[in-house]
Short mmCIF file of all heavy atoms in Angstrom, two decimals:
data_model
loop_
_atom_site.label_atom_id
_atom_site.label_comp_id
_atom_site.label_asym_id
_atom_site.label_seq_id
_atom_site.Cartn_x
_atom_site.Cartn_y
_atom_site.Cartn_z
N MET D 967 96.74 91.40 106.82
CA MET D 967 97.61 92.33 106.24
C MET D 967 97.50 93.72 106.86
O MET D 967 98.48 94.48 106.73
CB MET D 967 97.20 92.47 104.70
CG MET D 967 97.44 91.12 103.97
SD MET D 967 99.13 90.52 104.11
CE MET D 967 99.96 91.70 103.08
N GLU D 968 96.43 94.04 107.56
CA GLU D 968 96.29 95.34 108.17
C GLU D 968 97.30 95.50 109.31
O GLU D 968 97.96 96.52 109.43
CB GLU D 968 94.86 95.52 108.75
CG GLU D 968 93.83 95.74 107.68
CD GLU D 968 93.13 94.46 107.22
OE1 GLU D 968 93.77 93.34 107.42
OE2 GLU D 968 92.02 94.52 106.73
N ASP D 969 97.51 94.46 110.14
CA ASP D 969 98.51 94.50 111.20
C ASP D 969 99.92 94.58 110.62
O ASP D 969 100.77 95.33 111.11
CB ASP D 969 98.36 93.28 112.13
CG ASP D 969 97.07 93.27 112.95
OD1 ASP D 969 96.43 94.37 112.97
OD2 ASP D 969 96.77 92.28 113.58
N ARG D 970 100.17 93.85 109.60
CA ARG D 970 101.44 93.92 108.88
C ARG D 970 101.72 95.32 108.40
O ARG D 970 102.83 95.89 108.56
CB ARG D 970 101.49 92.96 107.78
CG ARG D 970 102.81 92.95 106.99
CD ARG D 970 102.76 91.90 105.84
NE ARG D 970 103.94 91.83 105.08
CZ ARG D 970 104.18 92.65 104.01
NH1 ARG D 970 103.32 93.54 103.66
NH2 ARG D 970 105.32 92.48 103.34
N SER D 971 100.74 95.94 107.72
CA SER D 971 100.89 97.29 107.23
C SER D 971 101.19 98.29 108.34
O SER D 971 102.01 99.18 108.19
CB SER D 971 99.61 97.72 106.47
OG SER D 971 99.45 96.92 105.31
N LEU D 972 100.48 98.10 109.48
CA LEU D 972 100.76 99.04 110.58
C LEU D 972 102.20 98.97 111.08
O LEU D 972 102.85 99.94 111.30
CB LEU D 972 99.79 98.72 111.77
CG LEU D 972 99.79 99.66 112.95
CD1 LEU D 972 98.41 99.80 113.55
CD2 LEU D 972 100.78 99.24 114.05
N PHE D 973 102.73 97.75 111.24
CA PHE D 973 104.13 97.56 111.65
C PHE D 973 105.08 98.17 110.65
O PHE D 973 106.09 98.80 111.04
CB PHE D 973 104.41 96.06 111.87
CG PHE D 973 104.19 95.58 113.25
CD1 PHE D 973 102.98 95.80 113.89
CD2 PHE D 973 105.21 94.95 113.96
CE1 PHE D 973 102.77 95.33 115.21
CE2 PHE D 973 105.01 94.48 115.25
CZ PHE D 973 103.80 94.68 115.88
N LEU D 974 104.76 98.09 109.35
CA LEU D 974 105.65 98.64 108.35
C LEU D 974 105.55 100.18 108.35
O LEU D 974 106.57 100.88 108.29
CB LEU D 974 105.28 98.11 106.98
CG LEU D 974 105.56 96.61 106.77
CD1 LEU D 974 105.01 96.13 105.38
CD2 LEU D 974 107.08 96.33 106.83
N GLU D 975 104.32 100.68 108.43
CA GLU D 975 104.12 102.14 108.38
C GLU D 975 104.70 102.83 109.57
O GLU D 975 105.23 103.95 109.47
CB GLU D 975 102.64 102.46 108.27
CG GLU D 975 102.00 102.08 106.92
CD GLU D 975 100.51 102.04 106.98
OE1 GLU D 975 99.93 102.41 108.07
OE2 GLU D 975 99.88 101.67 105.96
N GLU D 976 104.67 102.18 110.74
CA GLU D 976 105.22 102.78 111.98
C GLU D 976 106.70 102.52 112.14
O GLU D 976 107.28 103.01 113.10
CB GLU D 976 104.49 102.22 113.19
CG GLU D 976 103.00 102.58 113.29
CD GLU D 976 102.82 104.06 113.64
OE1 GLU D 976 103.77 104.73 114.02
OE2 GLU D 976 101.65 104.50 113.54
N GLY D 977 107.34 101.85 111.16
CA GLY D 977 108.75 101.57 111.23
C GLY D 977 109.12 100.60 112.31
O GLY D 977 110.27 100.61 112.76
N ILE D 978 108.17 99.72 112.66
CA ILE D 978 108.48 98.72 113.68
C ILE D 978 109.31 97.57 113.12
O ILE D 978 110.18 97.03 113.77
CB ILE D 978 107.20 98.17 114.33
CG1 ILE D 978 106.43 99.30 115.09
CG2 ILE D 978 107.45 97.03 115.26
CD1 ILE D 978 105.03 98.99 115.52
N ALA D 979 108.98 97.20 111.92
CA ALA D 979 109.63 96.05 111.24
C ALA D 979 109.82 96.38 109.78
O ALA D 979 109.18 97.29 109.23
CB ALA D 979 108.83 94.80 111.42
N THR D 980 110.71 95.66 109.14
CA THR D 980 110.90 95.75 107.70
C THR D 980 110.17 94.60 106.96
O THR D 980 109.79 93.65 107.61
CB THR D 980 112.41 95.68 107.35
OG1 THR D 980 112.94 94.35 107.68
CG2 THR D 980 113.18 96.72 108.12
N GLN D 981 110.04 94.76 105.71
CA GLN D 981 109.35 93.68 104.92
C GLN D 981 110.06 92.36 105.05
O GLN D 981 109.42 91.31 105.12
CB GLN D 981 109.23 94.10 103.44
CG GLN D 981 108.25 95.24 103.21
CD GLN D 981 107.93 95.41 101.73
OE1 GLN D 981 108.03 94.53 100.95
NE2 GLN D 981 107.51 96.64 101.41
N ALA D 982 111.36 92.43 105.07
CA ALA D 982 112.18 91.15 105.20
C ALA D 982 111.90 90.44 106.50
O ALA D 982 112.16 89.25 106.59
CB ALA D 982 113.63 91.45 105.04
N GLN D 983 111.48 91.15 107.53
CA GLN D 983 111.18 90.51 108.81
C GLN D 983 109.80 89.94 108.91
O GLN D 983 109.45 89.25 109.90
CB GLN D 983 111.35 91.53 109.96
CG GLN D 983 112.77 92.00 110.17
CD GLN D 983 112.81 93.09 111.20
OE1 GLN D 983 112.29 94.18 110.99
NE2 GLN D 983 113.33 92.75 112.42
N CYS D 984 108.91 90.15 107.90
CA CYS D 984 107.48 89.89 108.05
C CYS D 984 107.11 88.62 107.29
O CYS D 984 107.46 88.44 106.17
CB CYS D 984 106.66 91.06 107.53
SG CYS D 984 106.91 92.55 108.48
N PHE D 985 106.33 87.76 108.06
CA PHE D 985 105.71 86.60 107.43
C PHE D 985 104.27 86.58 107.78
O PHE D 985 103.80 87.28 108.76
CB PHE D 985 106.40 85.33 107.97
CG PHE D 985 107.76 85.17 107.57
CD1 PHE D 985 108.80 85.80 108.26
CD2 PHE D 985 108.08 84.35 106.44
CE1 PHE D 985 110.15 85.65 107.84
CE2 PHE D 985 109.44 84.17 106.04
CZ PHE D 985 110.45 84.83 106.76
N ARG D 986 103.51 85.83 107.03
CA ARG D 986 102.06 85.74 107.35
C ARG D 986 101.62 84.32 107.39
O ARG D 986 102.02 83.53 106.53
CB ARG D 986 101.21 86.52 106.33
CG ARG D 986 99.73 86.57 106.70
CD ARG D 986 98.85 87.13 105.61
NE ARG D 986 97.48 87.16 106.05
CZ ARG D 986 96.43 87.36 105.21
NH1 ARG D 986 96.63 87.52 103.95
NH2 ARG D 986 95.22 87.39 105.68
N THR D 987 100.76 83.99 108.32
CA THR D 987 99.98 82.72 108.33
C THR D 987 98.54 83.10 108.41
O THR D 987 98.12 84.09 108.95
CB THR D 987 100.36 81.82 109.51
OG1 THR D 987 99.95 82.43 110.73
CG2 THR D 987 101.87 81.48 109.50
N MET D 988 97.69 82.21 107.79
CA MET D 988 96.22 82.39 107.91
C MET D 988 95.77 81.90 109.25
O MET D 988 95.18 80.82 109.39
CB MET D 988 95.58 81.71 106.73
CG MET D 988 95.83 82.34 105.39
SD MET D 988 95.00 83.97 105.23
CE MET D 988 93.34 83.49 104.92
N GLY D 989 96.01 82.69 110.27
CA GLY D 989 95.60 82.34 111.63
C GLY D 989 96.57 81.32 112.21
O GLY D 989 97.71 81.17 111.80
N SER D 990 96.13 80.67 113.29
CA SER D 990 96.91 79.64 114.00
C SER D 990 96.84 78.29 113.34
O SER D 990 97.56 77.36 113.76
CB SER D 990 96.47 79.54 115.44
OG SER D 990 96.53 80.81 116.10
N GLY D 991 95.99 78.14 112.34
CA GLY D 991 95.79 76.84 111.70
C GLY D 991 95.00 75.91 112.60
O GLY D 991 94.89 76.06 113.76
N ILE D 992 94.34 74.92 111.93
CA ILE D 992 93.57 73.87 112.64
C ILE D 992 93.81 72.55 112.03
O ILE D 992 94.20 72.43 110.86
CB ILE D 992 92.05 74.24 112.67
CG1 ILE D 992 91.47 74.35 111.26
CG2 ILE D 992 91.74 75.44 113.46
CD1 ILE D 992 89.97 74.43 111.27
N ASP D 993 93.57 71.54 112.81
CA ASP D 993 93.61 70.17 112.32
C ASP D 993 92.33 69.88 111.57
O ASP D 993 91.25 69.70 112.20
CB ASP D 993 93.79 69.22 113.51
CG ASP D 993 93.94 67.78 113.10
OD1 ASP D 993 93.53 67.44 112.02
OD2 ASP D 993 94.49 66.97 113.95
N LEU D 994 92.44 69.77 110.28
CA LEU D 994 91.24 69.62 109.40
C LEU D 994 90.65 68.19 109.55
O LEU D 994 89.51 68.01 109.14
CB LEU D 994 91.57 69.93 107.95
CG LEU D 994 91.85 71.41 107.67
CD1 LEU D 994 92.47 71.63 106.33
CD2 LEU D 994 90.62 72.24 107.87
N ASP D 995 91.39 67.26 110.11
CA ASP D 995 90.82 65.93 110.40
C ASP D 995 90.00 66.00 111.63
O ASP D 995 88.89 65.39 111.75
CB ASP D 995 91.94 64.91 110.53
CG ASP D 995 92.68 64.68 109.21
OD1 ASP D 995 92.07 64.70 108.20
OD2 ASP D 995 93.87 64.41 109.31
N GLU D 996 90.47 66.68 112.67
CA GLU D 996 89.70 66.85 113.89
C GLU D 996 88.41 67.66 113.63
O GLU D 996 87.30 67.30 114.03
CB GLU D 996 90.52 67.50 114.98
CG GLU D 996 89.75 67.72 116.29
CD GLU D 996 90.60 68.43 117.33
OE1 GLU D 996 91.75 68.83 117.05
OE2 GLU D 996 90.07 68.58 118.49
N TYR D 997 88.59 68.83 112.94
CA TYR D 997 87.45 69.68 112.61
C TYR D 997 87.02 69.28 111.20
O TYR D 997 87.19 70.00 110.23
CB TYR D 997 87.90 71.15 112.65
CG TYR D 997 88.07 71.67 114.07
CD1 TYR D 997 89.26 71.48 114.75
CD2 TYR D 997 87.02 72.27 114.72
CE1 TYR D 997 89.42 71.88 116.04
CE2 TYR D 997 87.15 72.75 116.08
CZ TYR D 997 88.38 72.53 116.70
OH TYR D 997 88.50 72.96 118.00
#
C-alpha cells in the first residue's frame, strides 16, 4: 500500500487504475 499511496500522492495514477496483489504469488503445492 505504501507504493500505491506514493503513486496516488504524486499524481502518477488514479485510484481507478490501481490494483494490488500480495506479491507475485507462489505455488502452494510446490512450496
Side-chain angles (χ1 to χ4, degrees):
M967 297 306 289
E968 288 92 339
D969 290 348
R970 178 180 181 274
S971 295
L972 186 147
F973 268 54
L974 293 173
E975 291 165 4
E976 294 289 350
I978 296 170
T980 65
Q981 290 193 24
Q983 291 176 292
C984 297
F985 293 83
R986 185 189 182 195
T987 65
M988 290 291 283
S990 303
I992 57 172
D993 184 336
L994 292 168
D995 292 327
E996 179 182 5
Y997 287 85

